[in-house]
Amino acid sequence: MPAEARFEPLNFEYLVEAEGQRRSAEFAQRMLRRRSVRHFSRAPVPFALIETAIRVAGAAPSGANQQPWTFVVVSDPDLKRKIRIAAEAEEKESYERRMSQEWLDALAPLGTDWRKPHIEDAPYVIVVFRQAYGLGRDPETGEEIRYRHYYSEESVGIAVGFLLAALQLAGLATLTHTPSPMKFLSEILDRPANERAFVLIPVGYPAADAQVPAITKKPLAKIMIRR
Ligand code: IYR
């Protein structure tokens, strides 16, 4: 039997125009500085910053509010090493054999290769899992039941956007990394059958001498159309 809708008053914070402008500009200024970082310092990061960012990610909208995500926060050096070794093995195969020349050419401006030392250098690696379907128990029989998840890809993508924004505002550097295939992450992190690795995010402070590729974002005129 489906649960019935229940309603409550919206708790909305109205801002006077000047305050809205101020906050919007401040947020933009901070977000526009975000860069994907591949050179991390080993300096420790307060766990509270990670926890708060994941709380923010968990507030993202999702299909049928099913919240089809699990955030695995890895700081254990042995686990990080295992993940790095497995990721590098997949990446080496990808760069040397699986990726097309067209793909390699598209990536060339980023200067990446199969080596992923950042997985071990960053104090935290957040591995985001997408729950392809839900798992529950039949209240009568106690049997395990599977239920459909709606728009889980989109939902987890939105939650990761929230997560990256929250980490940026916490003064942390991040990288979205998707070694392909990512099945090894389920095995190393012992995740259940309904979960699929979605993205791996090293989090930390940048190395003092961190470099980033000299690339730019499209101007507003190229991405926005008003009708
Ligand atoms: N997963 C590889 C390759 C790679 C692919 C894309 I698309 C990127 O934007 C960056 C890298 C790697 O992480 O090196």
Side-chain angles (χ1 to χ4, degrees), residues 38 91 94-95 99 103 107 110 112-116 118 175-180:
R38 293 181 175 82
E91 292 290 56
S94 291
Y95 276 90
M99 287 154 77
W103 192 352
L107 280 183
L110 302 184
T112 55
D113 63 32
W114 61 267
R115 290 178 191 84
K116 305 298 170 193
H118 41 267
L175 174 67
T176 51
H177 178 41
T178 52
S180 173

Side-chain angles (χ1 to χ4, degrees), residues 63-208:
N65 191 37
Q66 287 172 319
Q67 306 164 60
W69 42 62
T70 306
F71 301 90
V72 181
V73 182
V74 184
S75 57
D76 179 274
D78 292 335
L79 276 179
K80 285 197 297 174
R81 173 174 302 255
K82 275 195 186 136
I83 292 171
R84 175 191 177 171
I85 289 169
E88 286 185 333
E90 291 295 0
E91 292 290 56
K92 194 158 194 298
E93 190 60 25
S94 291
Y95 276 90
E96 289 175 2
R97 275 173 278 276
R98 293 193 285 239
M99 287 154 77
S100 64
Q101 194 54 50
E102 185 178 3
W103 192 352
L104 293 169
D105 291 348
L107 280 183
L110 302 184
T112 55
D113 63 32
W114 61 267
R115 290 178 191 84
K116 305 298 170 193
H118 41 267
I119 296 176
E120 277 189 274
D121 292 336
Y124 291 104
V125 172
I126 304 177
V127 185
V128 184
F129 286 86
R130 174 180 71 90
Q131 298 167 359
Y133 52 90
L135 287 178
R137 294 234 165 254
D138 185 311
E140 257 119 68
T141 65
E143 231 181 292
E144 189 178 84
I145 42 175
R146 292 173 169 211
Y147 52 93
R148 260 208 75 168
H149 273 167
Y150 301 94
Y151 298 101
S152 65
E153 299 269 2
E154 292 84 347
S155 301
V156 177
I158 293 166
V160 169
F162 275 40
L163 180 66
L164 296 174
L167 293 166
Q168 171 71 12
L169 265 70
L172 293 166
T174 54
L175 174 67
T176 51
H177 178 41
T178 52
S180 173
M182 287 197 279
K183 185 102 194 54
F184 68 88
L185 290 166
S186 297
E187 287 152 18
I188 295 174
L189 298 173
D190 200 22
R191 300 312 305 156
N194 63 326
E195 294 191 2
R196 315 270 180 271
F198 186 82
V199 67
L200 177 166
I201 307 174
V203 184
Y205 297 103

